[in-house]
Every structure is written in structure tokens, then in C-alpha cells.
């Protein structure tokens, strides 16, 4: 956690064992961070075009209160009957969105895991979580699985990734970006934005007119960042590759993937050396 150039390492414990912080998302007030804690496994296919299969055998959504330094949740966000993950706050801070799938025997039934998009009320005054969950998109009925929900800053549109099954779409060639109009419920499959290969992690710009996302459309192996435009009518337009001084030489020689892009209003003020020093340090704040 970076706070006014101070870097602090935070560790989570559940039932006396180390647990993970995954997919963090800030509340607009800056006080809360929603995240999931996942037990993740990875398998490799011998003859499937989706080369790698990553799946959870357990996952819950938790919230970290940075002021009181406590972690809390709700039975609606943390249950043994479901996998809950990918939390996102709405821009007004009054709702928490997340994805949920029925838990099944893994890995035998990994193709049967399909996540729906859900919403629950959240009160930023005291951090209380609502008692009723609403379904924004029933992906299972459509035979699909939804992940990475991101609401536009004006609260009008919801961008998410959809694939045939599972929650780790970065290796699923059928993964595409879709956009939901939150006022009408209409879904745009974004044909001008998507490609025959993987589209996955994404983020909105501050004015809600641009998106950045990762895609494997160039060679099917490495994720590169693409920037797309959404006009005032909510129509997505053809994206372009993240510019470089010499893009042909740069991308042809690059042996790394770009992943999990986030557009920000200002630069990170803490340098890499300080971050690395905090990571190596044994000093940490333990949360339970």
C-alpha cells in the first residue's frame, strides 16, 4: 500500500494460514479496497488451443478498511457454495459488483464453471454490506462466463470480459470484451473492438471515452496493449496498438507480455527501488 510516498506491506491470514490478495479495486472515497482471496491452480492442455487452464478451487470477496486496518466481508460475498471474485465498486461508491459461480469438483468439471455478474449495496459511511444480491447479467443462461467488470466513470456503461467458461480468460481464444448499457440493459458485443484472439484485462479513462485492454491478436502468444475509443453514443471504435517510438522493431523483438493495464490520473511517485525494498523486507502488517 502506497500512502503519501510511504510504502507498507500488508499480509492476510485466514484460519492461521497465509492468504492471497487478488484483483484489488479501490472505493472512490479512497478508504476501502475490495479484493478477492483465491486458491488458484494451473493445468496445461496437450491438444487444446487454450493452452493453459487456470482455475480457482476456492475464492471469496473481502474488503479492506485502510483507516481502521481491518478486513471484513459478508456471507453473500464469502460462501462455500460459490466462487466469488473480481470485485468492483460503482463510481458513486454505493454498490459493489462481483462475479460468482457455483462451486464444482475441480479440475474435472472446469468447463462447467460459469460466472454471473452480481451487485450488492455498500454504505461507505460504515462499510456495511447490503442483504440482497441483484443479478446484472446472467451469463450462465447465455452459456457464457463473465469476468473483470469495470463501470465507466459516468456510471452509464459496464465493460467486462466474456468467454465460454471459467474465470481466467487470458488464455481463452473465445474471450471478448462486451459492454452493458446500465440504463437499458442492452449488451454491445463490440465487433469493432474485438479480434479472433484473446481480449481480456481492461480499464477506462477518466472521462469514460477511452479504454485500454490486453489482446493476443498480433501473434496469439503475447499480450499487447490496445487503446479503443467509445463515442458519445456509446459506440466502440477500432482500437490501435499502444504507440512506441519504433513499434515494428520494438514489438517484433519484445519477449514479454503487457497485462492488467490501468489508466491513471497522475504518475506513481514511489520509485521501483523503494517498492522492491518493501517487498524484500520482513516487516509487514498482518490482517486476519
Amino acid at each position: 500500500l502506497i500512502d503519501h510516498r510511504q510504502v507498507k506491506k500488508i499480509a492476510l491470514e485466514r484460519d492461521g494460514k497465509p492468504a492471497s490478495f487478488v484483483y484489488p479495486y479501490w472505493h472512490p472515497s479512497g478508504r476501502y479496497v475490495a479484493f478477492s482471496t483465491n486458491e488458484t491452480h494451473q493445468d496445461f492442455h496437450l491438444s487444446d488451443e487454450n493452452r493453459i487452464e487456470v482455475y480457482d478451487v476456492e475464492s471469496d470477496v473481502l474488503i479492506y478498511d485502510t483507516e481502521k486496518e481491518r478486513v471484513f466481508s459478508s456471507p453473500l460475498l464469502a460462501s462455500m457454495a460459490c466462487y466469488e471474485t473480481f470485485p468492483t465498486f460503482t463510481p458513486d461508491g454505493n454498490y459493489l459488483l462481483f462475479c460468482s459461480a457455483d462451486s464444482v469438483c475441480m479440475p474435472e468439471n472446469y468447463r462447467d464453471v460459469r460466472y454471473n455478474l452480481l451487485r450488492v449495496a455498500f454504505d461507505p459511511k460504515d462499510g456495511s454490506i447490503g442483504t440482497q444480491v441483484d443479478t446484472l447479467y446472467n451469463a450462465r443462461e447465455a452459456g457464457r462466463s463473465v469476468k473483470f467488470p469495470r463501470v465507466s466513470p459516468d456510471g452509464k456503461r459496464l465493460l467486462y470480459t466474456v468467454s465460454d467458461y471459467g474465470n481466467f480468460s487470458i488464455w481463452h481464444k473465445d474471450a471478448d470484451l462486451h459492454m452493458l448499457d446500465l440504463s437499458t440493459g442492452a449488451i454491445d458485443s463490440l465487433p469493432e473492438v474485438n479480434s479472433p484472439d484473446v481480449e481480456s484485462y481492461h480499464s477506462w479513462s477518466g472521462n469514460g471515452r477511452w479504454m485500454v485492454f490486453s489482446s493476443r491478436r498480433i501473434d496469439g502468444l503475447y499480450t499487447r496493449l490496445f487503446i479503443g475509443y467509445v463515442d458519445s453514443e456509446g459506440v466502440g471504435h477500432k482500437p490501435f496498438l499502444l504507440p512506441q517510438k519504433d513499434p515494428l522493431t520494438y514489438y517484433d523483438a519484445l519477449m514479454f507480455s503487457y497485462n492488467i493495464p490501468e489508466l491513471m490520473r497522475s504518475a506513481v511517485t514511489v520509485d521501483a527501488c523503494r517498492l522492491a525494498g518493501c517487498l524484500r523486507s520482513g516487516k509487514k502488517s498482518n490482517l486476519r
Side-chain angles (χ1 to χ4, degrees), residues 233-253:
E233 301 299 319
V235 178
H237 294 264
K238 185 178 179 179
F240 57 89
L241 184 63
L242 179 70
Q244 302 291 342
K245 186 176 181 179
D246 186 350
L248 184 61
T249 302
Y250 180 84
Y251 285 114
D252 282 351

Side-chain angles (χ1 to χ4, degrees), residues 5 12 143 260 271:
R5 298 184 65 84
L12 178 68
I260 320 182
D271 60 47

Side-chain angles (χ1 to χ4, degrees), residues 44-59:
F44 297 87
H45 291 293
L46 294 176
S47 59
D48 194 301
E49 65 175 0
N50 297 333
R51 305 179 180 196
I52 300 175
E53 197 63 51
V54 179
Y55 56 90
D56 292 331
V57 297
E58 182 180 347
S59 62

Side-chain angles (χ1 to χ4, degrees), residues 6 43 84 95 100 111 147 152-153 169 176 185 199 216 225 243 283-284:
Q6 298 298 315
D43 286 336
E84 298 93 358
Y95 291 95
S100 176
R111 288 185 182 271
K147 62 278 295 178
S152 61
S169 56
D176 285 327
E199 272 70 54
R216 294 190 192 272
L225 298 188
K283 184 179 180 181
K284 59 187 177 182

Side-chain angles (χ1 to χ4, degrees), residues 157 179 208-210 229-237:
R157 301 176 183 90
M179 188 162 58
R209 300 295 288 274
W210 299 90
Y229 178 68
V230 179
D231 64 28
S232 59
E233 301 299 319
V235 178
H237 294 264

